[in-house]
Every structure is written in C-alpha cells, then in structure tokens.
C-alpha cells in the first residue's frame, strides 16, 4: 500500500506553479484551511482532486449552493420521518441516530485516515455561512444536540476552500485561512497545460491558437473572458475539424471571429462585440487607400 505523503509537487495531470505548490504545502504544514481564489476555469476545484491523488488521501467534496447552510455540513435531523415511524410503531424510533444524516464535516472528522475536504465555491452561500463554520473548522469538532455527543476529528483533515469572488468573505474567516490567488496562466504555463491534455497536438496550431485566445481575452469590453477549460475545448474542436494554423493566422476583416468561436465566446453580447469589430474592420479595409 502506498503511504501518504506530506508534500504536494503537482501531478502529471495538473501543472502547478511554484507559488501554488508553496501555498498548498504551507497550508498543510500550518493545518489551516487553504482558501483558493481565481477566475472561473483556472483549476481551483481540480486542485483538490489532484492534491488527493498526489497525497494519496481520500477526497470529500462539499459543493456549495445558494441554499446551503452551515449545519448541512454537520448533520441533518429528519424529525418528520421519526414522527411518521412513531405513528406506525416502527422500532427504529427508539434510537435517534437512525434519523441523523451525517454531513461532509462529520464524514471528514470521522475518517480513519487524513482526508482532503473540499468546500467548493463558498461564496455562493449566504454571507453568514463562512462565520457559521468558524468554530467547527478551528476546533475540528462539533456538538450533536440530539445525542449529546461531540464529533471530534480523529485526524485533522486538509481543508481546501474555493471562491470565485462573487462576494466578500468575512475578515474573521479570512484570518483563519492560508490564502492563494491562482493567476491566469501565462503563455508558457498554458503551453505546458495544453501539452498535458494534448501531447500529440501540432506546436504551430498551439502557437496560433494561443495568440488568438489571448487576443480575445485582451479585447476591451468583453463580458466573459474565455478560461483555460474553454481553450482546451476549443483546441479539441480545432483538432477534430483539422483546422490549419494558417486559418487562425489569417487576419482579414472577414476572418476576425475565430472558427468554432462558440467554444470561447459564451454570450451574445461578446459575439455581437466581435461582429461589430469585424464590421468596422471591413469598412476600414473598404476605404480608398485602405
């Protein structure tokens, strides 16, 4: 059996920058939650999965929604089912534990080996949600009112928390985390990411595609910049359709919108923006002496 390790150095499937490796290992050493922020599509959620693979640890995922409450992560008590069973004379009603559904924190705290607990997109929940978890994440324990027992972590889990910056997180919560912002990959890092996913792709296609991709991201007025995951989808389509690098390199006014742009531009506002730019370029090209 492979023994767990305490160092994260990235994986063959995940290109981790040096500062990200330092952040992960610092959070593990300090036994503090690792708060990861960054643009959507920069690999925040995937990081927890790759940490679990690299550290040989079980992964427990808690995906947060707008309706999620902190107590959902501890446990839920099904009083309605217990009442129904009592009316039917079911013997299960004599043990309240039959009606307790453990949450993700309960699952993490009772894991026999150190797990990784992913609290994904914490900023989707109510503003009070992070504060409601302060004591549990600090002390790694919580009290079960219905049974009078305390659920305490046998081994302290590695906690990874992701945020898309949709709302500010409370200062008291931030003080208890080790923070890292995943910057959008530069050209060299992106080439390494592409190589992991498409090792047989033509280098010239990657080079031209990345030029187009970063030009799109740098376009003023863009409502949603394309992400790494959308770039990978686009490259896959370019390979399937056997699009040549020369096609991407062509900069005539009629070709301003890249082929298969639906993988990169995800709303009508941005498509219309590029159509307007194409129209302006065509008009400029049509002028005498242009």
């Amino acid at each position: 059996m492979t023994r767990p390790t305490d160092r994260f150095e990235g994986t063959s499937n995940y290109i981790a920058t040096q500062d990200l490796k330092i952040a992960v290992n610092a959070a593990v050493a300090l036994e503090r939650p690792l708060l990861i922020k960054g643009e959507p599509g920069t690999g925040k959620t995937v990081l927890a999965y790759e940490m679990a693979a690299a550290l040989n640890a079980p992964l427990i995922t808690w995906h947060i929604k707008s309706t999620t409450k902190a107590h959902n992560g501890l446990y839920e008590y099904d009083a309605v089912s217990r009442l129904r069973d009592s009316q039917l004379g079911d013997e299960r009603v004599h043990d309240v534990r039959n009606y307790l559904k453990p949450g993700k924190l309960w699952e993490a705290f009772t894991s026999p080996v150190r797990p990784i607990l992913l609290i994904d997109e914490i900023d989707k929940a109510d503003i009070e949600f992070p504060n409601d978890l302060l004591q549990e994440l600090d002390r790694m324990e919580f009290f079960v009112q219905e049974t009078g027992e305390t659920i305490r972590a046998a081994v302290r889990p590695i906690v990874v928390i992701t945020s898309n910056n949709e709302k500010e997180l409370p200062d008291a919560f931030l003080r208890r985390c080790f923070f890292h912002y995943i910057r959008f990959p530069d050209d060299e890092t992106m080439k390494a990411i592409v190589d992991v996913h498409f090792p047989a792709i033509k280098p010239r296609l990657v080079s031209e595609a990345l030029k187009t991709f970063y030009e799109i991201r740098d376009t003023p007025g863009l409502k949603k910049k394309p992400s790494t995951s959308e770039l990978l989808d686009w490259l896959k389509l370019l390979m399937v359709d056997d699009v040549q690098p020369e096609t991407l390199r062509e900069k005539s006014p009629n070709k301003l919108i890249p082929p298969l742009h639906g993988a990169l531009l995800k709303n009508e506002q941005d498509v219309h923006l590029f159509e307007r730019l194409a129209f302006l370029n065509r008009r400029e090209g049509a002028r005498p002496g242009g």
Side-chain angles (χ1 to χ4, degrees):
M1 178 178 176
T2 306
R3 294 182 61 188
T5 179
D6 288 327
R7 300 289 302 175
F8 176 72
E9 298 295 340
T11 70
S12 59
N13 297 317
Y14 189 90
I15 302 298
T17 58
Q18 187 60 30
D19 57 347
L20 177 56
K21 295 176 192 176
I22 291 171
V24 169
N25 292 319
V28 173
L30 292 172
E31 295 188 330
R32 287 187 177 275
L34 173 63
L35 174 61
I36 295 288
K37 291 187 179 183
E39 285 185 33
T42 49
K44 300 185 299 296
T45 300
V46 176
L47 172 63
Y49 286 81
E50 296 302 322
M51 284 174 61
L55 303 178
N56 193 33
L59 176 66
I60 298 168
T61 59
W62 186 14
H63 298 291
I64 306 304
K65 301 178 181 178
S66 59
T67 55
T68 305
K69 301 299 181 185
H71 68 79
N72 299 142
L74 307 181
Y75 66 94
E76 295 181 51
Y77 171 49
D78 191 351
V80 173
S81 290
R82 194 182 190 194
L83 175 61
R84 182 196 62 218
D85 287 350
S86 68
Q87 293 170 340
L88 296 173
D90 195 317
E91 289 297 316
R92 296 174 71 249
V93 299
H94 300 299
D95 188 351
V96 70
R97 289 177 178 81
N98 291 322
Y99 304 94
L100 296 180
K101 181 183 177 182
K104 297 298 183 178
L105 266 70
W106 187 322
E107 186 180 342
F109 289 0
T110 54
S111 175
V113 295
R114 183 182 62 174
I116 290 177
L117 171 63
L118 169 63
I119 303 177
D120 198 28
E121 298 190 329
I122 194 172
D123 50 328
K124 280 189 174 180
D126 184 84
I127 188 63
E128 291 303 319
F129 178 87
N131 278 339
D132 291 342
L133 285 178
L134 281 180
Q135 180 171 310
E136 287 76 14
L137 291 178
D138 249 1
R139 299 182 181 180
M140 288 290 163
E141 65 179 38
F142 62 89
F143 184 71
V144 181
Q145 193 72 39
E146 289 77 8
T147 63
E149 64 182 322
T150 297
I151 303 300
R152 185 175 291 109
V155 287
R156 192 176 184 95
I158 298 171
V159 181
V160 179
I161 302 170
T162 71
S163 169
N164 285 325
N165 257 347
E166 291 184 7
K167 61 170 69 82
E168 289 296 321
L169 299 175
D171 288 346
F173 180 80
L174 294 175
R175 281 197 299 271
R176 289 164 169 81
C177 297
F178 190 94
F179 170 75
H180 181 74
Y181 183 86
I182 297 183
R183 293 181 177 83
F184 196 82
D186 59 20
D187 188 73
E188 287 304 311
T189 304
M190 192 65 85
K191 283 179 181 176
I193 293 171
V194 170
D195 188 54
V196 164
H197 290 269
F198 307 117
I201 193 171
K202 299 173 184 175
R204 287 198 305 123
L205 179 61
V206 175
S207 179
E208 293 300 331
L210 287 183
K211 286 180 186 176
T212 301
F213 174 73
Y214 283 111
E215 285 172 4
I216 292 175
R217 280 185 56 86
D218 291 339
T219 301
L222 204 64
K223 185 176 181 181
K224 182 195 176 302
K225 295 181 179 183
S227 67
T228 304
S229 59
E230 287 157 347
L231 168 66
L232 296 174
D233 286 345
W234 185 49
L235 284 170
K236 184 175 182 179
L237 291 175
L238 293 179
M239 289 189 293
V240 168
D241 279 19
D242 197 25
V243 175
Q244 298 303 305
E246 292 75 20
T247 304
L248 299 179
R249 193 182 305 132
E250 189 176 351
K251 295 300 181 185
S252 69
N254 293 325
K255 301 290 185 179
L256 190 65
I257 299 180
L260 302 165
H261 62 271
L264 299 174
L265 303 174
K266 294 302 179 73
N267 61 70
E268 64 277 12
Q269 177 179 314
D270 290 342
V271 173
H272 291 161
L273 171 64
F274 272 82
E275 288 174 344
R276 287 197 300 273
L277 291 173
F279 172 75
L280 291 173
N281 273 268
R282 284 196 297 272
R283 191 167 65 177
E284 287 293 323
R287 288 180 177 177

